[in-house]
Amino acid sequence: MDVQKLFSLEGRIAIVTGGSRGIGKMIAQGYIAAGAKVYITARKAEVCDATAAELGDNCISLPGDLSSIEGARAFAERFAEHEDRLDILVNNAGAAWGAEFHDFPEVGWDKVMDLNVKSPFFLTQALHKSLKAAATKAEPAKVINISSIDGMRVNPWETYSYQASKAALIQLTKRMAVRLLNDNVIVTGIAPGAFPSEMNKAARDAGELVARSIPSKRVGKSEDMAAAAIYLASRAGDYVVGTTIPVDGGIVNAFAPMGLDPEGN
């Protein structure tokens, strides 16, 4: 068994949405290190271009707004001008909105649901032809949806549409997996916990404080996210189908109830 080949992405072509910063950038960096050619996209062209320049020749900036069906289709058309196949699609672009229950606005619902749930579905639909062009039974293509542990358990903040959208994406991942497996396209997901990012400013700016409530006693590192994403994208993850893996230091599955230590005493 060649372990290096098992986790290699040599020669693969990937798209990482929301790849200009945060978790998307962590994944893009990992894929490039594993041998992939990575297209990153984000709404702000200058930020996307700067990140691509930072990550090197195997990172290509292809900015765009994916929040609408038209935007997703336009992006897929632009990608097809560059490549005739797509091995890996990471649906990472997302948004959050927080407001008290009585003040929560419709715009805060629609914006989050559109980008976090509608966009992954319709972008995958738009790129289906490119994914099928790469996919074989021996070497399937991959779609990886980035949800959140907030879709697996309730957090203490009033982010109603965000938590609902991430739970929906986890279920959507399962349903997409059933259909796309027929085309040798494997769909899985990652549910990140506390990783320093623009979206998770608490983990970024007060990491030591946040770490106190995490069973592993630290926030996530770039390597943690890159490793999980490489695993699912590579041959190593070919037998994982429809599953969303929490990468969270134990918050979802190893959190001790109040009054109990980690041993349950």
Side-chain angles (χ1 to χ4, degrees):
M1 181 182 296
D2 188 332
V3 175
Q4 286 189 329
K5 285 187 178 179
L6 198 61
F7 291 91
S8 174
L9 298 179
E10 194 68 38
R12 305 284 183 93
I13 298 169
I15 290 173
V16 180
T17 72
S20 66
R21 62 186 187 183
I23 285 171
K25 184 179 179 181
M26 296 174 196
I27 292 172
Q29 285 178 303
Y31 282 178
I32 291 166
K37 180 181 181 182
V38 179
Y39 287 80
I40 61 170
T41 185
R43 274 190 315 106
K44 296 179 179 178
E46 65 278 8
V47 178
C48 200
D49 293 345
T51 297
E54 177 189 342
L55 297 186
D57 292 342
N58 280 336
C59 187
I60 299 95
S61 173
L62 208 61
D65 186 350
L66 305 177
S67 61
S68 67
I69 297 173
E70 293 77 14
R73 290 173 179 169
F75 175 83
E77 290 174 4
R78 289 173 57 211
F79 174 77
E81 294 172 1
H82 296 267
E83 306 288 349
D84 60 5
R85 76 177 206 276
L86 175 62
D87 298 285
I88 306 158
L89 169 62
V90 179
N91 287 311
N92 168 72
W97 196 292
E100 292 186 6
F101 178 75
H102 291 290
D103 298 323
F104 203 93
E106 184 177 14
V107 65
W109 190 269
D110 292 345
K111 177 182 178 180
V112 171
M113 283 293 184
D114 282 353
L115 191 55
N116 293 6
V117 185
K118 188 169 77 173
S119 173
F121 179 82
F122 283 106
L123 182 60
T124 304
Q125 183 190 72
L127 289 165
H128 187 218
K129 183 178 178 180
S130 295
L131 288 163
K132 287 203 298 181
T136 65
K137 194 171 184 65
E139 202 167 87
K142 304 291 182 72
V143 175
I144 302 170
N145 294 325
I146 307 302
S147 59
S148 168
I149 59 170
D150 288 351
M152 296 179 163
R153 58 82 164 119
V154 177
N155 75 28
W157 302 288
E158 293 189 271
T159 51
Y160 299 101
S161 55
Y162 181 76
Q163 293 181 63
S165 71
K166 293 303 185 178
L169 184 57
I170 290 169
Q171 187 65 22
L172 179 61
T173 296
K174 296 176 185 179
R175 189 60 192 84
M176 289 171 66
V178 173
R179 168 59 182 84
L180 294 184
L181 195 58
N182 297 328
D183 301 320
N184 298 312
V185 178
I186 294 175
V187 185
T188 56
I190 295 173
F195 280 80
S197 68
E198 185 66 24
M199 187 175 290
N200 193 334
K201 293 183 174 67
R204 184 193 67 188
D205 301 335
E208 291 184 8
L209 183 62
V210 172
R212 295 178 189 174
S213 61
I214 300 173
S216 292
K217 300 304 177 189
R218 67 174 177 85
V219 298
K221 299 178 180 178
S222 295
E223 294 86 349
D224 300 317
M225 185 51 56
I230 290 168
Y231 164 61
L232 291 176
S234 67
R235 168 63 185 88
D238 281 3
Y239 207 52
V240 180
V241 180
T243 297
T244 295
I245 300 174
V247 182
D248 65 347
I251 293 173
V252 169
N253 293 317
F255 188 79
M258 288 183 65
L260 297 181
D261 64 29
E263 297 300 319
N265 300 312

